[in-house]
Amino acid sequence: RRGANPRPRQMAEELEHLATQQGEEVVTSTLASRAVELTQLLETAFPRKTLAEVEAAYMPSGVAPNASLTQLTRLVREQAAVATEHFKQAELWLVLKSPAVSDGNNFGVDVQQYVAGELKELRKAFAGMIGAPADWHWARATGLEKVAQDAIHDADESTTTETSKETKDGGKAEEKTTVKTVKKSGCAKKEKVVLPDYDAYTAALDVKHYFAMRENMVDLRNGYLKAAALFAKNYKRLSDPRGDGGGNSRGVMSMF
């Protein structure tokens, strides 16, 4: 009987090695550098101003799109997507550094599980930010629908009378009258009066969303800071939970 093909296992070990390297870069460098990057982005994209100042800038907006806020929303969405990927890499690094199950000396493993739980909660929060543009545009459109023009459909009826002569047997002419009724549908546009409260509503909705986007960016920055601190303070336990210099017991690195 021919032996099993070792290639799939070798490829899996190569993938684990690559994932370990990428995760190592994330937990030792990327988390901290991204916290600094997001702090700078906060200062430029969301300069300090009161909500009243933001509201004044957004009024009156009518039914036109809020281009500047749309740009900020997409910026936060992109940053949340990047953060989600980084935290998934850090979680996978922890999994690959986990040792085999053992009855004792599991304190380091407990630390790994605690940090993994914290990362997962942060990642789930970041992933939830991806839907922010859709939610905001829907809420805005629902409100602005009240401001848009209404189409009023009217049904008109017109009646016409037609008279014709027919010759019957015997040469006698006889008149025949036909009445036709035609229905016509028309569409008349009626301009609505735009109430001041509609403008105020739109601006208030945009201010609310602006505040939410700024808070999301702060949460992203703080999430990176928290994760960086967890890895920096517990790196030895996380990378080598049993203190035996192995990091894991599966020999992932043995072939390199």
Side-chain angles (χ1 to χ4, degrees), residues 183-211:
K183 291 186 177 182
K184 298 180 180 179
S185 294
C187 179
K189 286 187 176 180
K190 179 182 177 182
E191 193 76 24
K192 264 194 170 183
V193 177
V194 179
L195 301 177
D197 276 342
Y198 279 133
D199 277 337
Y201 164 80
T202 306
L205 186 67
D206 288 350
V207 170
K208 177 183 177 181
H209 186 67
Y210 172 90
F211 181 77

Side-chain angles (χ1 to χ4, degrees), residues 103-253:
D103 291 335
N105 193 18
N106 285 322
F107 178 72
V109 177
D110 291 339
V111 175
Q112 283 186 327
Q113 292 177 345
Y114 168 76
V115 173
E118 293 294 306
L119 293 178
K120 182 178 180 180
E121 289 302 313
L122 288 168
R123 175 174 56 80
K124 287 170 61 178
F126 298 158
M129 299 176 185
I130 305 297
D135 295 339
W136 171 58
H137 283 301
W138 177 259
R140 203 172 193 272
T142 301
L144 291 177
E145 190 177 30
K146 305 298 183 182
V147 186
Q149 291 180 338
D150 284 341
I152 301 176
H153 296 272
D154 295 321
D156 296 331
E157 290 186 359
S158 61
T159 303
T160 58
T161 302
E162 296 180 358
T163 303
S164 60
K165 289 185 178 182
E166 295 182 0
T167 301
K168 300 291 185 180
D169 294 338
K172 186 178 179 181
E174 189 174 298
E175 287 190 352
K176 182 180 180 181
T177 303
T178 303
V179 179
K180 295 182 178 180
T181 301
V182 180
K183 291 186 177 182
K184 298 180 180 179
S185 294
C187 179
K189 286 187 176 180
K190 179 182 177 182
E191 193 76 24
K192 264 194 170 183
V193 177
V194 179
L195 301 177
D197 276 342
Y198 279 133
D199 277 337
Y201 164 80
T202 306
L205 186 67
D206 288 350
V207 170
K208 177 183 177 181
H209 186 67
Y210 172 90
F211 181 77
M213 290 301 96
R214 189 183 187 283
E215 288 300 291
N216 282 353
M217 189 70 85
V218 171
D219 289 342
L220 285 166
R221 189 272 313 276
N222 291 351
Y224 272 107
L225 273 177
K226 179 178 181 178
L230 285 171
F231 280 102
K233 294 176 180 179
N234 302 284
Y235 181 78
K236 180 173 175 54
R237 287 285 187 184
L238 295 174
S239 61
D240 185 15
R242 293 228 168 94
D244 55 10
N248 65 59
S249 61
R250 292 177 293 172
V252 173
M253 305 291 290

